[in-house]
Amino acid sequence: MYGFSKFYRYPLPLLILSLWLLAVLLLSDQPAHGQHSVISNKEKYQSTLLAKRIMPSTLTENVRKTVLENGLTVLTKEVHTAPVVTVQVWYKVGSRNEEPGVNGIAHQLEHMMFKGTRNRPIQFGRLFSALGSDSNAFTSYDQTAYYGTVERNKLKALLMLEADRMQNSQIEPEQLASEKRVVISELQGYENSPEYRLNRAVMQAVFPNHAYGLPVGGTKADVEKFEVEQVEKYYRNFYNPDNAVLVIVGDFQTANTLETIKETFGKIPRGQDAGVISPLLSTQHSALSTPIVLREPGVGRLLQVVYPLPDANQPDVPALDVMDYILTEGRNSRLYQALVESGLASEVTASVTSLRESGWYEVLVTAGSKQDLKKIDSMLSSAIANVAEKGVTSEEVEQAKTQLIADVILSNRDITSQAMRLGTDETTAGDYRYTDRYLAAVRLVRPTDVVNVINKYLTKEVRTVGFFEPTQKLITEVSDKPDSAQTTENFSPLAPVLPSEVMKYLPPVDLATDAIAQVLPQEFKFTNGLRILLLPDRSTPTVTLSGHIQAGTEFDPDNKAGLAAFVAENLLNGTNNKDVLNIAKVLAERGASLDFQTHREGVHIEGDSLAEDLPILVEVLADVVKNSTFPVKELELHRQQTLTDLQLELDEPSEVARRIFVQSIYPKKHPLHTFPTEESLQQIQRQDVIDFKAKHYRPDTTVLALVGDFDLDKVRSLIKNEFGDWEVSGQAPTLKYPTVSMPEKIVSVNPVLPDKTQAVTYMGYTGINRYDPRFHAALVLNQILGGDTLSSRLGAEVRDRQGLSYGIYSYFQAGKNAGTFLIEMQTSPEDSSKAIASTREILQQIHQQGVTALEVETAKRTLISNYNVSLANPEELTDRILMNEVYGLDKVELHSFTDKIQKVTLDQVNQAARELLHPDKIVVVTAGPSVLAEKNTR
C-alpha cells in the first residue's frame, strides 16, 4: 500500500519505508509498527569519507545524468551484483505545494495514481503484482515518489507502466469517493497516536505561514471536500516530465535502457508552467514562550521540542548532524545520559530534518513513570546548555563521524536504497551529488563547529515546546459473543477481476537471460553444537550477521511473562569484562550495531558492521551471550522502561487487538497465550534472569549466519576462537505444544479504547506449521486471498472497490511448533462491521468455489519474482539462510524454494482453500472506539 512519509527511512525491500503496512508478527512479542517519515538527516545525508580503506569511491560513481528534450531528468547507475533493477519516479511536488483547504491533495493524488489509466483501466497494483514487482509509493514535504524493484528482464515493462500513468491517469468520481474513504481511514490511524497529534500541533506553531506546518497526509476535513476537478488540476500541473526525476539502479545496460526511456517517456509533452504554488511562502519561524499542552486520552507523557534549522544546502547542516549523534545516538550520548540513565525518561529520540526551503531539529522524550514534563524539559535545556558551555571532545566528534560512515554504507547495500538516495538528493537538494559534497563537509567538522551550531540554533528563544498530558483511559471488553451485525450484513462481492484482464494490460516482458547464481552457504558445526553458515559476498565492504537462540517467550513462566525478553534486552548491559558504557563505546567507535529481539520461538540476533570490523562485532557478541552479568541498576532501569513501553503499547488498538486475538485462539497454559503484564514484569527478579540465561542460552540451540565481505576460513577460525569455550550442560529444554481446536462458531471480541479514531481488526484461528505438506500451496492461496492489499481478492474488494480499509492483508504464519492464520485490517469505526462481513463473504466464496488456474499461475509468478528480488538484499538473504537452518531444512532450500512454488497445482490450492479457510469458525477481534461495542453486541 502507499502512504505519506514523515521521517525518511532508507527502505529494505518489502515496505520498510512504508507507513501503510503494519507488519505484524503474531508469533513475536514485538508490537506492530508503521513507518511515518520525511527526509531525516540521521539516516539520509549523514555520512563521511574518513578513510579510503572504507569507501574508496564516491557514492555517485557510475551515476549518469541525462535530461530528455521534454525536461525529464534521468539518473542511471549500473550495479551488477544481482539480476534485479529498481525503477523510481520522483515528482517535485509534496505537501509543500499545499495550503489550508487543500491540505493532503498531493497525498490523495498519489493514491489515485494506482487507479488506472485511459490505456489500462485497471488497478495498477494488480499489474505490479503480476510482474512480481516490489512496488509502492509515498508522499513527503518536497516530493512524491513511486518505486518498484523487479527482476531485470521486467525493466522495460515497469518503465512502460510508469510512463503511462505519468500522462494518462484517470480520476473518476466513483473511484475518488472510494479512495477518499481509504485516505481518511489512513489519517484516523495516525490520529490514534498521541505522538502524531502532538507533532501536528507543534509543527503548526513552528510554521504558521508555510506548508511545512501542515500535516503531510492532510486532514479529514480537507480530504472530504476534494473534487475531481481539483485533483485533476494538481495532476496536470505537477505530473509532467520536466517536474520529474526518473532513477534506475541495478543490473542493466545504460545505452540500451536510455533508448527505451526515450521511447517510453520521450514523447510525453512538457508541462504548461501553471504549477500551483502555495501562498504560504514564508519560512519565518515562530516560537511560543509557553508550551503547547495537549490534555487528551492516553497513557504516556510526551515532551516534544522543535528548533528551526536552515535548508538542506546550508553549510551548517553537516555539523548539525554530528551534533545530533553526540546528543542522542546510543547509551553514551549526552541526552540519553541526562534523561534516561537518570530515570526521568524511558526514551529520547531526535532527528535533523533538512528540506528544500527550511529544516528543523526535533527532540521527542517519553517520560518515565510519574515523571513531570516541566522537570524533564528543564533538564533537557540544562543538558544542551552544558554541552554549549563545556564543549564536546574530539573523541566524541570522531566517534560520531565513524557512526555516520557505517550508517551510510550499511544503508546503501541494496539497489532500492541507492536509488532512494539519488532521488532524494536530486529533488530536495537539487543535485544528485549532494551526498558526496556533504560527506566531504562532514569530514571537516571539528568540536568547535558542533558548539557553534548549538549556540546558533538550539537556543531557548527560538524553540517551540509541546507537552502531551494524558487523561485517564480505561479499556473495556465485550467478548465471546456471536456478532449478529457481521453475519447478517447484506453483501454480495463482485466477481473477482479476471487474471486474463490483468494479462491483457500487462506490458510484454523480455525473455529471461540467465538464472540467478545458485551460490550456497558453507555450513560448519562445532563440538559444542554451535552451527554457523557462511556466504562470502564481495559486493560491498560490509558484513551482515543474523542469529537465532532457542530462548523465546514460549519459555516464559505464567507468572513472570516477559522474562525471556528481559534476558535478551539486558545482554548488552554488562559482562565480566566490560560495563554497559564500555560495550556501547566499543560498538559505536566502529559504527557497528548489535541487537537482540525476542520472539515466540527464539531470540533473533541482528548485527551489522564494516567488513574489517567483523572481529569486534563477533567478540562483543560472544562476550555478552557467554558472560553477561545483569547489573542490578541496569535491570531496574530496564524494568521501568519496559513498564512505560507496556503502557504505551496498551494504548494502541493494533497491539490490544493482537494480544486479545492470540489469547482468544490459544488457551491458558499454551506457550503462545502468555503476554507480559505490569504484575508479571514486577515479579521478575535478578536471579530469575540469571537462571533463565544459564538454562536457555546454549551453543547447541544457537545458529549464526553471516553474509558479506570476508574470507571463509578466517571467519570460521574467528568464531571458533570466540565461541569454542562456550560449554553445554545437560539437555536443551523442550516444550510440547498442545493441540488447539478450531472455534465452533464466530467469536467476536471488542476491546474498547475510548476516543480512538481508527479501529483495527484481526480475524483468524490456528493454522499450519512450517512442516505441513500444504505449506507451499497455502502460500499461493494466501497471495490470491490477501497477500497484497491492491491485487488480492480481499484488497480488490474491501480496500479498492468499497474503500473500507486503508490496508487489508492475510497471512499464514507458520512456525516450528504452531501456526496462525490471520487477516488484519484497519478501518474507520463506522466501516468495521461491513468490512468484516465482506471479508467473511470472500473467505466463503474461495472456500466453496476455489480459485482459477490463471490466478494460481499469476500468484506463483509473483511469489517467485518477489523471492528472487529479496535475495538481492543482504539482510533478507542472511535471514533466509538462518531460518532455513533453524527449521531444519536442507541448505539447498535457499534456491529450491522457487521450484516448490512453481510445482504447486490448482488442485492443491483449492484443496488448501477447502481445508484451511473457515469463515464460520473464526475469531474476530476489533479494537477501537466504543461505537463498535454498541454496534456489535445486541
Side-chain angles (χ1 to χ4, degrees), residues 192-442:
N192 279 353
S193 165
E195 178 185 336
Y196 175 85
R197 301 198 301 272
L198 179 62
N199 177 262
R200 186 180 62 185
V202 171
M203 290 299 293
Q204 193 167 12
V206 175
F207 292 98
N209 299 308
H210 193 280
Y212 285 162
L214 301 174
V216 175
T219 63
K220 179 181 178 182
D222 282 359
V223 170
E224 287 177 331
K225 293 183 292 187
F226 290 156
E227 300 290 342
V228 169
E229 294 75 18
Q230 287 177 297
V231 183
E232 283 183 335
K233 183 178 180 181
Y234 240 69
Y235 175 61
R236 290 193 303 270
N237 286 340
F238 291 112
Y239 279 59
N240 299 301
D242 47 325
N243 196 46
V245 178
L246 173 64
V247 186
I248 305 175
V249 176
D251 192 16
F252 64 93
Q253 298 299 319
T254 301
N256 295 339
T257 300
L258 285 175
E259 288 302 315
T260 302
I261 292 170
K262 290 173 184 177
E263 292 172 12
T264 52
F265 286 88
K267 297 177 183 178
I268 303 175
R270 284 176 172 268
Q272 301 301 310
D273 295 323
V276 178
I277 302 299
S278 166
L280 303 181
L281 295 179
S282 173
T283 56
Q284 185 68 39
H285 310 108
S286 292
L288 301 180
S289 57
T290 58
I292 297 167
V293 181
L294 296 187
R295 289 186 174 90
E296 298 176 354
V299 294
R301 289 182 175 85
L302 300 173
L303 165 68
Q304 187 164 63
V305 183
V306 174
Y307 301 86
L309 296 181
D311 65 77
N313 281 306
Q314 295 303 309
D316 286 333
V317 170
L320 285 163
D321 286 330
V322 175
M323 172 206 75
D324 177 38
Y325 266 64
I326 292 171
L327 289 180
T328 66
E329 185 69 18
R331 294 290 295 263
N332 289 293
S333 64
R334 297 296 189 93
L335 295 185
Y336 188 95
Q337 287 293 307
L339 299 176
V340 181
E341 289 289 348
S342 67
L344 285 173
S346 67
E347 185 179 21
V348 56
T349 60
S351 62
V352 174
T353 299
S354 299
L355 300 181
R356 189 166 176 171
E357 295 180 1
S358 189
W360 58 88
Y361 185 51
E362 176 184 336
V363 182
L364 179 68
V365 182
T366 303
S369 178
K370 300 178 181 178
Q371 296 295 334
D372 181 67
L373 290 177
K374 290 182 180 179
K375 182 178 179 181
I376 294 173
D377 184 33
S378 176
M379 182 62 74
L380 171 67
S381 296
S382 297
I384 293 174
N386 184 61
V387 177
E389 179 184 349
K390 297 184 179 179
V392 296
T393 66
S394 296
E395 182 183 19
E396 284 179 298
V397 172
E398 293 307 311
Q399 181 172 296
K401 290 180 179 181
T402 302
Q403 289 174 300
L404 293 174
I405 296 170
D407 278 353
V408 73
I409 297 175
L410 294 170
S411 70
N412 276 277
R413 290 180 293 174
D414 63 277
I415 61 170
T416 304
S417 298
Q418 292 177 44
M420 286 283 177
R421 182 178 296 275
L422 294 172
T424 302
D425 285 355
E426 183 69 19
T427 54
T428 296
D431 182 5
Y432 74 91
R433 296 161 300 189
Y434 175 90
T435 298
D436 284 338
R437 292 190 285 109
Y438 175 85
L439 297 176
V442 170

Side-chain angles (χ1 to χ4, degrees), residues 161-217:
L161 291 177
E162 291 296 353
D164 187 17
R165 65 175 173 175
M166 178 180 282
Q167 62 180 326
N168 299 315
S169 286
Q170 293 192 112
I171 300 169
E172 302 290 348
E174 183 178 347
Q175 291 183 333
L176 178 60
S178 171
E179 203 63 26
K180 281 162 60 175
R181 294 180 71 178
V182 171
V183 169
I184 290 170
S185 174
E186 177 184 357
L187 297 178
Q188 288 173 328
Y190 308 145
E191 289 284 347
N192 279 353
S193 165
E195 178 185 336
Y196 175 85
R197 301 198 301 272
L198 179 62
N199 177 262
R200 186 180 62 185
V202 171
M203 290 299 293
Q204 193 167 12
V206 175
F207 292 98
N209 299 308
H210 193 280
Y212 285 162
L214 301 174
V216 175

Side-chain angles (χ1 to χ4, degrees), residues 81-109:
T81 55
V84 295
V85 62
T86 188
V87 173
Q88 303 182 3
V89 181
W90 294 66
Y91 294 96
K92 299 174 187 177
V93 56
S95 64
R96 179 178 60 85
N97 305 92
E98 298 173 355
E99 60 187 42
V102 291
N103 181 207
I105 196 166
H107 178 221
Q108 183 71 62
L109 175 57

Side-chain angles (χ1 to χ4, degrees), residues 68-132:
L68 303 188
E69 290 183 5
N70 60 6
L72 178 68
T73 297
V74 182
L75 301 176
T76 54
K77 180 180 181 180
E78 294 185 25
V79 179
H80 299 290
T81 55
V84 295
V85 62
T86 188
V87 173
Q88 303 182 3
V89 181
W90 294 66
Y91 294 96
K92 299 174 187 177
V93 56
S95 64
R96 179 178 60 85
N97 305 92
E98 298 173 355
E99 60 187 42
V102 291
N103 181 207
I105 196 166
H107 178 221
Q108 183 71 62
L109 175 57
E110 174 221 311
H111 278 241
M112 298 307 298
M113 289 289 285
F114 285 82
K115 288 295 190 177
T117 66
R118 291 190 295 273
N119 300 326
R120 295 179 174 87
I122 188 172
Q123 163 60 252
F124 264 46
R126 295 177 191 139
L127 299 176
F128 293 135
S129 180
L131 278 178

Side-chain angles (χ1 to χ4, degrees), residues 452-509:
N452 288 341
V453 294
I454 293 177
N455 286 322
K456 185 175 180 180
Y457 298 107
L458 269 58
T459 64
K460 294 189 71 171
E461 294 75 25
V462 302
R463 70 186 194 138
T464 300
V465 179
F467 291 170
F468 180 82
E469 293 279 8
T471 56
Q472 187 62 36
K473 165 175 277 189
L474 295 175
I475 297 177
T476 58
E477 197 171 300
V478 184
S479 62
D480 200 26
K481 294 187 179 182
D483 190 340
S484 57
Q486 294 167 8
T487 56
T488 60
E489 181 73 38
N490 183 18
F491 166 72
S492 179
L494 295 180
V497 175
L498 294 174
S500 57
E501 283 291 293
V502 176
M503 302 311 294
K504 182 170 82 172
Y505 295 116
L506 197 67
V509 173

Side-chain angles (χ1 to χ4, degrees), residues 771-845:
Y771 310 108
D772 193 291
R774 298 166 294 185
F775 174 73
H776 296 92
L779 291 183
V780 176
L781 170 64
N782 185 72
Q783 182 64 28
I784 297 168
L785 171 65
D788 183 282
T789 202
L790 295 179
S791 64
S792 64
R793 292 266 193 109
L794 289 174
E797 180 61 34
V798 179
R799 189 236 184 266
D800 200 44
R801 188 178 77 86
Q802 298 189 65
L804 298 176
S805 173
Y806 172 51
I808 182 167
Y809 301 90
S810 62
Y811 311 85
F812 282 97
Q813 295 180 331
K816 288 181 68 174
N817 299 302
T820 305
F821 169 72
L822 72 143
I823 297 169
E824 172 210 359
M825 70 179 88
Q826 306 94 41
T827 59
S828 297
E830 61 271 17
D831 290 335
S832 297
S833 294
K834 187 175 182 181
I836 292 166
S838 299
T839 298
R840 288 190 52 245
E841 288 284 352
I842 291 169
L843 287 173
Q844 187 73 36
Q845 189 180 66

